């Protein structure tokens, strides 16, 4: 006992938060997204819809790690799956098989075949950008080496070099030389900022027609009518734009886009990395729009933010072993057993009961509350949502001019932890997105309670009131 106490007494004290900040400033790269704010917050705990700082102040998280933690922090069922795998088979080289990989791939592929009408296969990787890279290889390989893609204005597919080439924001490419295979970016029907006098559906149809015009003549630059060939291999789409500000297109939009693609032999690749795994009330958000993709990319929430796992589902003719043989693409940790075990448990969990109906009901309640805030606060220009993918656009008092500065202030204000709900101090974690970085992109815990939704609306109301008075 004495020696144990002596060791404990001699153990060095943990660095203070100020000391950690000094170390971080000296030794951590600032090339990630941490330093978008001047003094990033330290957190020490999490549970359900909340993260906690050193003083145990609860911060209601309305972005859930960019929609990676769809099922709540420290979800007991998914954490238990991770612990079981940790105790049984936590590591194995990806040149060998393990049960969880095979079961998960079969579950995803069978579900896709039922929904989309095509047999397919699943290829795993670790992060979303890596899965996008794998999909680019699949597409290029299948189309005889074509490297040009279509993508949407406002679209985001990652920050690796290949993913940056199909992401519309030039700032992600600017410092890294010329991107000869940069996508051609097509207008997305962002109705709130679209032409006046058009309904959402009319605007969607106008965008489809603008895209279709590219194929009217060889002089429009993408199509050789004599050969019946396009220079472009695929169109990369987010059914609902993520970083672009949770922009939701009209329900008739993708049927029109898909017809143009099918008529000209161009593939549709659907990026479900942020909106997949029930964020919109369905396993894949593309299910809302009545089209079948050729390739589907997923990641983030399939492991609830635990051991990373991503993947690509593709139609059989694109991914079968004769066309995509062993070694076509690889990552050491691609189908890691920790990730596949948690993802398998996630898929089983969401298949029990009507999980989607619960998400849609909560989303309707949340959206109704946002609409009430829109009525009360002039700086709220637009709100919208599908399931629990929700948006609130912050504008000048004219209700339209983007106001990035006010939203940045609101985001920092929420992190102070001094909002009051039921007599107790709270913080509010918000994510900023949108074409003008003036949109609150709301991605709460899919298991959020009604009382937590009411709390979220109350805290947002307080922030909006403060913003109007500042």
């Amino acid at each position: 006992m004495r020696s144990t106490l002596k060791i404990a007494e001699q153990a060095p004290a943990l660095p203070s938060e100020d000391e950690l900040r000094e170390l971080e400033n000296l030794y951590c790269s600032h090339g990630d997204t941490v330093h978008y704010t001047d003094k990033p917050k330290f957190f020490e705990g999490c549970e359900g819809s909340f993260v906690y700082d050193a003083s145990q102040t609860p911060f209601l998280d309305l972005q859930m790690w960019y929609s990676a933690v769809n099922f709540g922090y420290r979800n007991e069922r998914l954490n238990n799956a991770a612990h079981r795998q940790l105790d049984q088979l936590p590591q194995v080289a990806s040149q060998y098989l393990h049960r969880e990989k095979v079961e998960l791939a079969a579950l995803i592929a069978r579900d896709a075949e039922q929904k989309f009408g095509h047999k397919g296969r699943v290829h795993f990787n670790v992060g979303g950008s890596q899965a996008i890279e794998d999909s680019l290889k699949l597409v290029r390989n299948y189309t005889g080496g074509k490297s040009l893609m279509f993508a949407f204005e406002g679209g985001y597919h990652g920050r690796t070099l290949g993913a940056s080439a199909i992401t519309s924001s030039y700032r992600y490419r600017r410092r890294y030389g010329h991107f000869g295979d940069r996508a051609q970016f097509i207008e997305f029907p962002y109705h709130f900022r679209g032409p006046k006098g058009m309904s959402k559906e009319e605007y969607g149809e106008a965008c489809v027609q603008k895209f279709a015009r590219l194929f009217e003549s060889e002089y429009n630059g993408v199509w050789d009518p004599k050969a019946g060939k396009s220079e472009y291999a695929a169109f990369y789409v987010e059914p609902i734009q993520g970083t672009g500000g949770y922009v939701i297109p009209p329900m008739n939009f993708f049927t029109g886009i898909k017809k143009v693609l099918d008529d000209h032999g161009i593939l549709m690749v659907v990026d479900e990395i942020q909106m997949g795994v029930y964020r919109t009330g369905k396993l894949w958000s593309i299910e809302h729009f009545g089209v079948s993709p050729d390739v589907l990319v997923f990641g983030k929430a399939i492991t609830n933010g635990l051991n990373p796992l991503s993947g690509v589902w593709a139609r059989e003719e694109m991914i079968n072993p004769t066309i995509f043989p062993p070694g076509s693409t690889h990552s050491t940790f691609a189908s890691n057993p920790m990730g596949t075990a948690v993802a398998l448990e996630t898929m089983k969990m969401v298949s029990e009961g009507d999980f989607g109906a619960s998400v849609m009901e909560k989303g309707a309640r949340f959206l109704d509350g946002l609409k009430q805030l829109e009525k009360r606060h002039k700086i709220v220009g637009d709100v919208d949502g599908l399931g629990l993918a929700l948006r609130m656009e912050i504008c000048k008092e004219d209700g339209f001019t983007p106001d990035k500065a006010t939203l940045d202030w609101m985001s920092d204000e929420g992190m102070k932890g001094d909002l009051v709900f039921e007599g107790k101090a709270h913080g509010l974690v918000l994510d900023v997105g949108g074409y003008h970085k003036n949109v609150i992109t709301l991605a709460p815990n899919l298991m959020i309670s009604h009382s937590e939704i009411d709390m979220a609306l109350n805290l947002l109301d307080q922030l909006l009131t403060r913003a109007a008075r500042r």
Side-chain angles (χ1 to χ4, degrees), residues 385-403:
L386 182 61
L388 280 166
L390 303 150
R391 73 189 312 270
M392 174 182 280
E393 188 147 348
I394 303 302
C395 302
K396 301 289 187 182
E397 287 202 357
D398 62 7
F400 185 76
T401 304
D403 193 348

Side-chain angles (χ1 to χ4, degrees), residues 153-203:
E153 295 174 2
Y156 178 88
H157 301 286
R159 301 191 201 186
T160 54
L161 287 174
S164 295
I166 57 173
T167 291
S168 67
S169 300
Y170 172 52
R171 73 184 180 95
Y172 298 133
R173 295 186 300 275
R174 181 179 58 81
R175 293 177 291 115
Y176 305 111
H178 179 62
F179 284 67
D181 55 356
R182 197 206 79 167
Q184 179 161 336
F185 297 107
I186 305 301
E187 185 176 357
F188 192 84
Y190 181 3
H191 185 243
F192 179 64
R193 299 206 171 274
K196 301 307 173 188
M198 281 188 180
S199 70
K200 192 170 186 177
E201 290 70 25
E202 288 170 339
Y203 183 30

Side-chain angles (χ1 to χ4, degrees), residues 275-301:
M275 290 297 157
V277 199
Y278 280 95
R279 172 54 55 196
T280 67
K282 293 185 182 291
L283 179 61
W284 310 123
S285 62
I286 194 64
E287 295 177 50
H288 291 281
F289 298 96
V291 298
S292 296
D294 299 293
V295 180
L296 186 146
V297 185
F298 59 87
K300 285 188 187 294

Side-chain angles (χ1 to χ4, degrees), residues 229-246:
K229 300 285 186 181
S230 174
E231 192 175 10
Y232 287 75
F235 199 143
Y236 274 74
V237 309
E238 293 171 286
I240 295 170
Q241 296 198 321
T243 302
Y246 285 23

Side-chain angles (χ1 to χ4, degrees), residues 210-226:
K210 188 180 293 187
F211 177 57
R213 181 181 174 276
L214 295 176
F215 301 89
E216 287 180 355
S217 161
E218 65 181 273
Y219 296 102
N220 293 37
V222 304
W223 178 248
D224 180 353
K226 291 183 179 180

